Amino acid sequence: MRIMDFLDKESIELNIKSKTKKEVIEELVEMLAQKGLIIDKKVTIESLMEREELGSTGVGQGIAIPHSKTKGVKELVAAFGVSKAGVNFEALDGEPVYIFFLLLAPDGAAGLMLKALARVSNFLKNKYYRRKIMEAADKTSVIQTIEEEEKTKQ
């Protein structure tokens, strides 16, 4: 599974403006909605916030992977964001989150969601790639970093 198969190239934001967990989720969902990749924005945000109530998707090391299976999408889609200031996302390590990778899958696609989560998690736990993303000047640099990492996985 390749990240670029489900990450919309236009749904990458290197200057997340949001200051709270809910605002970050809304900002990332809005990017996907503007590209026509969301069927129902309200349902999608509600499902993501319900997932957050089960436990934060802030996994530590400055990373959050908010995710949900929802009626709000037809296929696996993702949005990516970086906050230079950091956001209190109630991460497991108590530290601010800088890198956000939002994943959405249709209801009933648990296997697909698990594969995507594992793939994104594996990518983001690599310190080298996290640093390259934080230093990225533009969307193209982020895409090149992801593609560089994916070449090592083939």
PDB file of all heavy atoms in Angstrom, residues 25-43:
ATOM      1  N   ILE A  25      -8.858  19.137  13.212  1.00  0.00           N
ATOM      2  CA  ILE A  25      -9.666  18.133  12.499  1.00  0.00           C
ATOM      3  C   ILE A  25     -10.579  18.816  11.481  1.00  0.00           C
ATOM      4  O   ILE A  25     -10.667  18.383  10.321  1.00  0.00           O
ATOM      5  CB  ILE A  25     -10.446  17.259  13.512  1.00  0.00           C
ATOM      6  CG1 ILE A  25      -9.454  16.297  14.197  1.00  0.00           C
ATOM      7  CG2 ILE A  25     -11.596  16.512  12.837  1.00  0.00           C
ATOM      8  CD1 ILE A  25     -10.024  15.511  15.353  1.00  0.00           C
ATOM      9  N   GLU A  26     -11.232  19.898  11.876  1.00  0.00           N
ATOM     10  CA  GLU A  26     -12.115  20.624  10.954  1.00  0.00           C
ATOM     11  C   GLU A  26     -11.336  21.188   9.770  1.00  0.00           C
ATOM     12  O   GLU A  26     -11.803  21.141   8.624  1.00  0.00           O
ATOM     13  CB  GLU A  26     -12.848  21.741  11.698  1.00  0.00           C
ATOM     14  CG  GLU A  26     -13.903  21.225  12.659  1.00  0.00           C
ATOM     15  CD  GLU A  26     -14.466  22.297  13.588  1.00  0.00           C
ATOM     16  OE1 GLU A  26     -13.855  23.392  13.711  1.00  0.00           O
ATOM     17  OE2 GLU A  26     -15.516  22.028  14.202  1.00  0.00           O
ATOM     18  N   GLU A  27     -10.149  21.713  10.014  1.00  0.00           N
ATOM     19  CA  GLU A  27      -9.329  22.294   8.946  1.00  0.00           C
ATOM     20  C   GLU A  27      -8.902  21.219   7.938  1.00  0.00           C
ATOM     21  O   GLU A  27      -8.967  21.428   6.721  1.00  0.00           O
ATOM     22  CB  GLU A  27      -8.096  22.981   9.558  1.00  0.00           C
ATOM     23  CG  GLU A  27      -7.280  23.780   8.564  1.00  0.00           C
ATOM     24  CD  GLU A  27      -6.176  24.612   9.213  1.00  0.00           C
ATOM     25  OE1 GLU A  27      -6.225  24.880  10.434  1.00  0.00           O
ATOM     26  OE2 GLU A  27      -5.253  25.004   8.467  1.00  0.00           O
ATOM     27  N   LEU A  28      -8.498  20.061   8.443  1.00  0.00           N
ATOM     28  CA  LEU A  28      -8.076  18.974   7.543  1.00  0.00           C
ATOM     29  C   LEU A  28      -9.265  18.417   6.757  1.00  0.00           C
ATOM     30  O   LEU A  28      -9.151  18.163   5.555  1.00  0.00           O
ATOM     31  CB  LEU A  28      -7.390  17.867   8.351  1.00  0.00           C
ATOM     32  CG  LEU A  28      -6.056  18.243   8.990  1.00  0.00           C
ATOM     33  CD1 LEU A  28      -5.601  17.167   9.970  1.00  0.00           C
ATOM     34  CD2 LEU A  28      -4.982  18.502   7.942  1.00  0.00           C
ATOM     35  N   VAL A  29     -10.404  18.248   7.427  1.00  0.00           N
ATOM     36  CA  VAL A  29     -11.608  17.764   6.735  1.00  0.00           C
ATOM     37  C   VAL A  29     -12.042  18.762   5.672  1.00  0.00           C
ATOM     38  O   VAL A  29     -12.431  18.370   4.559  1.00  0.00           O
ATOM     39  CB  VAL A  29     -12.750  17.465   7.746  1.00  0.00           C
ATOM     40  CG1 VAL A  29     -14.083  17.262   7.027  1.00  0.00           C
ATOM     41  CG2 VAL A  29     -12.413  16.245   8.597  1.00  0.00           C
ATOM     42  N   GLU A  30     -11.950  20.045   5.973  1.00  0.00           N
ATOM     43  CA  GLU A  30     -12.344  21.086   5.018  1.00  0.00           C
ATOM     44  C   GLU A  30     -11.506  20.991   3.733  1.00  0.00           C
ATOM     45  O   GLU A  30     -12.032  21.174   2.635  1.00  0.00           O
ATOM     46  CB  GLU A  30     -12.211  22.470   5.654  1.00  0.00           C
ATOM     47  CG  GLU A  30     -12.620  23.610   4.739  1.00  0.00           C
ATOM     48  CD  GLU A  30     -14.057  23.542   4.240  1.00  0.00           C
ATOM     49  OE1 GLU A  30     -14.945  23.076   4.975  1.00  0.00           O
ATOM     50  OE2 GLU A  30     -14.288  23.966   3.089  1.00  0.00           O
ATOM     51  N   MET A  31     -10.214  20.699   3.868  1.00  0.00           N
ATOM     52  CA  MET A  31      -9.368  20.547   2.667  1.00  0.00           C
ATOM     53  C   MET A  31      -9.909  19.433   1.773  1.00  0.00           C
ATOM     54  O   MET A  31      -9.993  19.592   0.552  1.00  0.00           O
ATOM     55  CB  MET A  31      -7.918  20.217   3.060  1.00  0.00           C
ATOM     56  CG  MET A  31      -7.132  21.398   3.528  1.00  0.00           C
ATOM     57  SD  MET A  31      -5.354  21.047   3.583  1.00  0.00           S
ATOM     58  CE  MET A  31      -5.229  19.826   4.856  1.00  0.00           C
ATOM     59  N   LEU A  32     -10.286  18.317   2.374  1.00  0.00           N
ATOM     60  CA  LEU A  32     -10.824  17.193   1.600  1.00  0.00           C
ATOM     61  C   LEU A  32     -12.201  17.539   1.024  1.00  0.00           C
ATOM     62  O   LEU A  32     -12.505  17.167  -0.111  1.00  0.00           O
ATOM     63  CB  LEU A  32     -10.907  15.943   2.478  1.00  0.00           C
ATOM     64  CG  LEU A  32      -9.570  15.349   2.899  1.00  0.00           C
ATOM     65  CD1 LEU A  32      -9.757  14.291   3.971  1.00  0.00           C
ATOM     66  CD2 LEU A  32      -8.822  14.775   1.705  1.00  0.00           C
ATOM     67  N   ALA A  33     -12.998  18.260   1.792  1.00  0.00           N
ATOM     68  CA  ALA A  33     -14.334  18.652   1.325  1.00  0.00           C
ATOM     69  C   ALA A  33     -14.226  19.560   0.101  1.00  0.00           C
ATOM     70  O   ALA A  33     -14.990  19.422  -0.865  1.00  0.00           O
ATOM     71  CB  ALA A  33     -15.103  19.345   2.447  1.00  0.00           C
ATOM     72  N   GLN A  34     -13.265  20.482   0.114  1.00  0.00           N
ATOM     73  CA  GLN A  34     -13.085  21.394  -1.025  1.00  0.00           C
ATOM     74  C   GLN A  34     -12.692  20.644  -2.294  1.00  0.00           C
ATOM     75  O   GLN A  34     -12.935  21.130  -3.394  1.00  0.00           O
ATOM     76  CB  GLN A  34     -12.037  22.457  -0.680  1.00  0.00           C
ATOM     77  CG  GLN A  34     -12.543  23.485   0.291  1.00  0.00           C
ATOM     78  CD  GLN A  34     -11.488  24.527   0.661  1.00  0.00           C
ATOM     79  OE1 GLN A  34     -10.371  24.517   0.160  1.00  0.00           O
ATOM     80  NE2 GLN A  34     -11.862  25.427   1.546  1.00  0.00           N
ATOM     81  N   LYS A  35     -12.079  19.468  -2.139  1.00  0.00           N
ATOM     82  CA  LYS A  35     -11.697  18.664  -3.310  1.00  0.00           C
ATOM     83  C   LYS A  35     -12.817  17.696  -3.705  1.00  0.00           C
ATOM     84  O   LYS A  35     -12.640  16.877  -4.602  1.00  0.00           O
ATOM     85  CB  LYS A  35     -10.421  17.868  -3.013  1.00  0.00           C
ATOM     86  CG  LYS A  35      -9.207  18.722  -2.692  1.00  0.00           C
ATOM     87  CD  LYS A  35      -8.831  19.690  -3.778  1.00  0.00           C
ATOM     88  CE  LYS A  35      -8.401  18.981  -5.023  1.00  0.00           C
ATOM     89  NZ  LYS A  35      -8.218  19.867  -6.160  1.00  0.00           N
ATOM     90  N   GLY A  36     -13.956  17.741  -3.011  1.00  0.00           N
ATOM     91  CA  GLY A  36     -15.075  16.864  -3.328  1.00  0.00           C
ATOM     92  C   GLY A  36     -14.883  15.436  -2.842  1.00  0.00           C
ATOM     93  O   GLY A  36     -15.536  14.517  -3.327  1.00  0.00           O
ATOM     94  N   LEU A  37     -14.013  15.241  -1.853  1.00  0.00           N
ATOM     95  CA  LEU A  37     -13.710  13.890  -1.369  1.00  0.00           C
ATOM     96  C   LEU A  37     -14.516  13.493  -0.132  1.00  0.00           C
ATOM     97  O   LEU A  37     -14.392  12.387   0.365  1.00  0.00           O
ATOM     98  CB  LEU A  37     -12.208  13.769  -1.075  1.00  0.00           C
ATOM     99  CG  LEU A  37     -11.306  13.983  -2.296  1.00  0.00           C
ATOM    100  CD1 LEU A  37      -9.843  14.081  -1.887  1.00  0.00           C
ATOM    101  CD2 LEU A  37     -11.510  12.868  -3.309  1.00  0.00           C
ATOM    102  N   ILE A  38     -15.346  14.422   0.351  1.00  0.00           N
ATOM    103  CA  ILE A  38     -16.183  14.176   1.527  1.00  0.00           C
ATOM    104  C   ILE A  38     -17.644  14.232   1.100  1.00  0.00           C
ATOM    105  O   ILE A  38     -18.054  15.188   0.439  1.00  0.00           O
ATOM    106  CB  ILE A  38     -15.929  15.240   2.628  1.00  0.00           C
ATOM    107  CG1 ILE A  38     -14.466  15.281   3.046  1.00  0.00           C
ATOM    108  CG2 ILE A  38     -16.861  15.045   3.820  1.00  0.00           C
ATOM    109  CD1 ILE A  38     -14.021  14.272   4.032  1.00  0.00           C
ATOM    110  N   ILE A  39     -18.419  13.233   1.473  1.00  0.00           N
ATOM    111  CA  ILE A  39     -19.850  13.211   1.159  1.00  0.00           C
ATOM    112  C   ILE A  39     -20.602  14.087   2.150  1.00  0.00           C
ATOM    113  O   ILE A  39     -21.462  14.877   1.781  1.00  0.00           O
ATOM    114  CB  ILE A  39     -20.417  11.772   1.230  1.00  0.00           C
ATOM    115  CG1 ILE A  39     -19.706  10.860   0.247  1.00  0.00           C
ATOM    116  CG2 ILE A  39     -21.922  11.768   0.991  1.00  0.00           C
ATOM    117  CD1 ILE A  39     -19.962   9.388   0.491  1.00  0.00           C
ATOM    118  N   ASP A  40     -20.272  13.939   3.443  1.00  0.00           N
ATOM    119  CA  ASP A  40     -20.970  14.657   4.506  1.00  0.00           C
ATOM    120  C   ASP A  40     -19.950  15.127   5.545  1.00  0.00           C
ATOM    121  O   ASP A  40     -19.424  14.333   6.319  1.00  0.00           O
ATOM    122  CB  ASP A  40     -22.020  13.740   5.146  1.00  0.00           C
ATOM    123  CG  ASP A  40     -22.909  14.461   6.140  1.00  0.00           C
ATOM    124  OD1 ASP A  40     -22.420  15.384   6.834  1.00  0.00           O
ATOM    125  OD2 ASP A  40     -24.091  14.087   6.230  1.00  0.00           O
ATOM    126  N   LYS A  41     -19.671  16.427   5.530  1.00  0.00           N
ATOM    127  CA  LYS A  41     -18.645  17.009   6.400  1.00  0.00           C
ATOM    128  C   LYS A  41     -19.012  16.862   7.880  1.00  0.00           C
ATOM    129  O   LYS A  41     -18.172  16.490   8.700  1.00  0.00           O
ATOM    130  CB  LYS A  41     -18.465  18.481   6.026  1.00  0.00           C
ATOM    131  CG  LYS A  41     -17.123  19.031   6.410  1.00  0.00           C
ATOM    132  CD  LYS A  41     -16.799  20.310   5.678  1.00  0.00           C
ATOM    133  CE  LYS A  41     -17.678  21.460   6.070  1.00  0.00           C
ATOM    134  NZ  LYS A  41     -17.213  22.745   5.560  1.00  0.00           N
ATOM    135  N   LYS A  42     -20.260  17.147   8.214  1.00  0.00           N
ATOM    136  CA  LYS A  42     -20.698  17.089   9.616  1.00  0.00           C
ATOM    137  C   LYS A  42     -20.557  15.670  10.174  1.00  0.00           C
ATOM    138  O   LYS A  42     -20.003  15.482  11.261  1.00  0.00           O
ATOM    139  CB  LYS A  42     -22.149  17.572   9.713  1.00  0.00           C
ATOM    140  CG  LYS A  42     -22.692  17.643  11.129  1.00  0.00           C
ATOM    141  CD  LYS A  42     -24.089  18.278  11.132  1.00  0.00           C
ATOM    142  CE  LYS A  42     -24.638  18.435  12.523  1.00  0.00           C
ATOM    143  NZ  LYS A  42     -25.278  17.248  13.037  1.00  0.00           N
ATOM    144  N   VAL A  43     -21.028  14.689   9.451  1.00  0.00           N
ATOM    145  CA  VAL A  43     -20.930  13.289   9.877  1.00  0.00           C
ATOM    146  C   VAL A  43     -19.461  12.876  10.027  1.00  0.00           C
ATOM    147  O   VAL A  43     -19.088  12.187  10.976  1.00  0.00           O
ATOM    148  CB  VAL A  43     -21.661  12.358   8.865  1.00  0.00           C
ATOM    149  CG1 VAL A  43     -21.296  10.901   9.062  1.00  0.00           C
ATOM    150  CG2 VAL A  43     -23.160  12.552   8.965  1.00  0.00           C
TER     151      VAL A  43
END
